[in-house]
Amino acid sequence: MEIIRGISVAPGVAVGEIVVLEAEDFRIPRRIVTVDQIDSELKTLEEAVAESIEEITNQTKFLSTTLGKDAANVFKWHIGVIKDRSLQKSIRDQIRKGRCSAAYATSTIMRNYQRRFMQMKDPLLVERMRDVQDIERRLLRHILGEAREDLAHLTKPAILVAHDLTPTQTAHLAETKVIGVALDAGAATSHTAILLRSWGKPGVIGLNDISNRVSGGDTLIIDGTNRLVIANPNEATLAEYREKEAAFVRFTGALDELRELPAVTRDDQRISLTCNIEFPQEAKVGRHKGGDGVGLYRTEFLYLRPEGAPSEDEQYAAYREAIEGSEGKQVTIRTFDLGADKYTQQRRYEQERNPMLGLRSIRYSLQNLDMFKIQLRAVLRASAHGPTRVMFPLINSLMEFRQAKMTIHDAMEDLEEEGIDIDRDIPIGMMLETPAAAIQVKDFCREVGFISIGTNDLVQYLLAVDRGNEQVSQLYTPSHPAVLRALRDVIRMCTQAKVDVSLCGEMAGAPLYTMLLVGLGLRSFSMAPANIPEIKKLIRQVTVPQAQRVARKALSFETDRQVTNYLRNETRKMLPEDPI
Amino acid sequence: MSDASSSVSCEIAVPNAQGMHARPVMRFVDVASTFSASVNVTNLSGRNERVDGKSAMEMMLLEAVQGSVLRIEANGDDAKPAIEALSSLVESGFSDGLSANTGDP
């Protein structure tokens, strides 16, 4: 029995058998082929090579216009390697002489090369090992096609263990039989963590080397509530956790009963609880959880796919699906928040010295106006299908907001000339997520349609803490007195100016901060769909004066620890049986 | 058929700061592949392994950094023009003719 501690992404308990993704995703069994099968294996290889070249060429086309030269050069080398005749010949020889499948031969040869790069002195060349790995995976994907064994083919509930998951992989978990996740990598606010939370199953990340310490078929307990996992538990522990697991399932079931009840305080103050979504299908999930529409649609996830930039029609279809899935409730679409930690598949090779302060979010969109305009056209077209708002991420100056707004108006004119239906009065707002915007909030209030406070970035910029850096992420906390005071001022200023203000960071979905935020005057929260029932339960137990007392007291402290301890005590009084 | 198939070689140092990384390797492979002669390259300052100059993978394995001396050999009808083209390519720091200075900052 081994207990390993990490960071919780979602509370709750899951017990099950392990599947290790890294190892099993591309486990290629050695299969001896008969002499007359050799030709068909050679043909499979030839087709996979052609398909890979076509795929990567398409990706590079997009890449060279929007992204850096270095990234494009690396992909040109990828193409060069796939076309490499010596390499193809050695794979063909391996198939013939080894009498093995195209997949096995490719894997063997490519792994040989990976080992050779690993032994090199130049760190840049060692990095090429990852490229070779990438090329191997690409070829294997085409060789194996539909036959690839992946998580979608799990036949019984399992616990997923992996080094890390891409947002794309994470998004597909909901369609599998995975009941819990344990990862080596990760910080509490990484996008993988956010997606895991929205999915709502128990998960612990930041476990360093769990994927090496356990193997497929072992039993693993995930205790998201206590931020730990237990590998190969003894019988007493296992029995104890089976009971906890059953209680957790009962508890989540009870919260679901709140679905039809409104989010009002005991003294009848209506609070709007909306969802943060990444995928249009989640709008429906949010309605099922009892949400009031979508407060933050993170559209950049449309980019996180191997085919690259989505077309106007593809985007329109996605936005329309989210709007229609919200059944008449409002959907707030945030334009692409690309850059920083949200690399598209193609951007992985481009390195900025300081990406969090670099070309990201609205800055990226304003430097890529063609792409930006396509998105705005799609948003405007979708706005004809239900109440829609649009907002820009990381607005830091009035000039940025004005320029973005002008781009929308250009797109509106074009669409009207084309005779296409749009909502001409679509509210246009901003995300407030930099200290500069918080300080200048009064000026913004005169020009924006609404403000959505993005606390994930606001906290990281206010505290100068990289929330994705495992070494300092413990310093990242919304409880810091400076954060509380900034929020107080922003909410107060918006309320005075009668500008609609909401909060869509992780903080909105944490019960710890609910009373504080209501007390500060916030009436609109946006969070992962999975968090809605619990926040609603808490809101229905408090009164506004009570929340105001909590906020006043919290604002009187000088350290984040005092704030957290105080809020935890107050929250426990309201939700004695919940994991806080 | 070429009974007069010739073998030509040269030795030349890699001048550019970043050595043989993705772009230089592809420039070399692209130029080498335009000739029918076989092209082989040895990094005399490295492991002395002789690799196929038309192979993107093997050329990367040369581990050629700035100052590494390469022996380039060509065998075949157009061996002489091949060596001329390849040696001037290396000499120019793998310039693609568009920008003279390709060194990374």
Side-chain angles (χ1 to χ4, degrees), chain B residues 66-84:
Chain B
Q66 185 174 31
S68 293
V69 178
L70 305 183
R71 178 192 292 144
I72 309 171
E73 301 159 70
N75 266 292
D77 283 345
D78 50 6
K80 197 159 177 285
I83 288 296
E84 277 162 12

Side-chain angles (χ1 to χ4, degrees), chain A residues 231-278:
Chain A
N232 297 314
N234 60 35
E235 265 178 48
T237 311
L238 189 61
E240 182 194 329
Y241 269 97
R242 291 259 187 234
E243 247 171 64
K244 283 189 184 174
E245 188 185 27
F248 171 70
V249 172
R250 277 198 305 275
F251 168 72
T252 47
L255 280 181
D256 284 344
E257 288 170 12
L258 283 166
R259 187 186 309 152
E260 302 306 328
L261 299 171
V264 284
T265 60
R266 266 173 39 217
D267 51 347
D268 276 338
Q269 172 62 53
R270 180 83 167 86
I271 307 283
S272 150
L273 300 183
T274 58
C275 308
N276 296 346
I277 67 165
E278 282 79 31

Side-chain angles (χ1 to χ4, degrees), chain A residues 493-507:
Chain A
M493 209 60 83
C494 291
T495 312
Q496 277 171 11
K498 297 196 166 48
V499 169
D500 184 274
V501 59
S502 59
L503 192 146
C504 65
E506 294 292 288
M507 200 181 177

Side-chain angles (χ1 to χ4, degrees), chain A residues 70 73-74 76-77 79-81 84-87 110 113 116-117 119-122 124-125 128 132, chain B residues 18 20-23 25-26 47 49 51-52 54-58 60-65 99 104:
Chain A
D70 289 351
N73 281 329
V74 169
K76 274 183 199 147
W77 184 68
I79 297 174
V81 168
D84 191 327
R85 292 213 186 128
S86 311
L87 181 69
M110 297 300 274
Y113 280 115
R116 290 182 63 186
F117 279 109
Q119 289 157 3
M120 295 199 161
K121 290 187 211 88
D122 182 344
L124 274 170
L125 282 170
R128 288 288 92 86
V132 179
Chain B
Q18 80 273 42
M20 294 283 281
H21 284 298
R23 202 193 62 87
V25 163
M26 283 321 295
R47 282 189 314 274
E49 191 185 351
V51 307
D52 179 355
K54 297 180 183 180
S55 161
M57 180 76 96
E58 292 192 10
M60 191 66 94
L61 286 164
L62 269 185
E63 244 184 314
V65 295
S99 57
D104 288 342

Side-chain angles (χ1 to χ4, degrees), chain A residues 377 380 409-422 424:
Chain A
R377 282 177 61 95
L380 289 168
H409 285 137
D410 284 354
M412 277 183 179
E413 276 173 32
D414 292 350
L415 287 165
E416 288 191 328
E417 266 173 40
E418 293 163 37
I420 295 170
D421 241 9
I422 59 168
R424 200 140 195 357

Side-chain angles (χ1 to χ4, degrees), chain A residues 154-208:
Chain A
L154 282 177
T155 51
K156 55 178 187 176
I159 303 269
L160 174 64
V161 175
H163 176 68
D164 201 0
L165 292 174
T166 64
T168 317
Q169 286 172 317
T170 314
H172 289 297
L173 288 179
E175 297 153 20
T176 69
K177 291 203 185 305
V178 173
I179 53 167
V181 171
L183 301 181
D184 295 347
T189 47
S190 71
H191 283 87
T192 294
I194 290 171
L195 280 170
L196 285 172
R197 200 157 311 159
S198 160
W199 175 51
K201 297 274 169 68
V204 178
I205 62 174
L207 291 160
N208 295 318

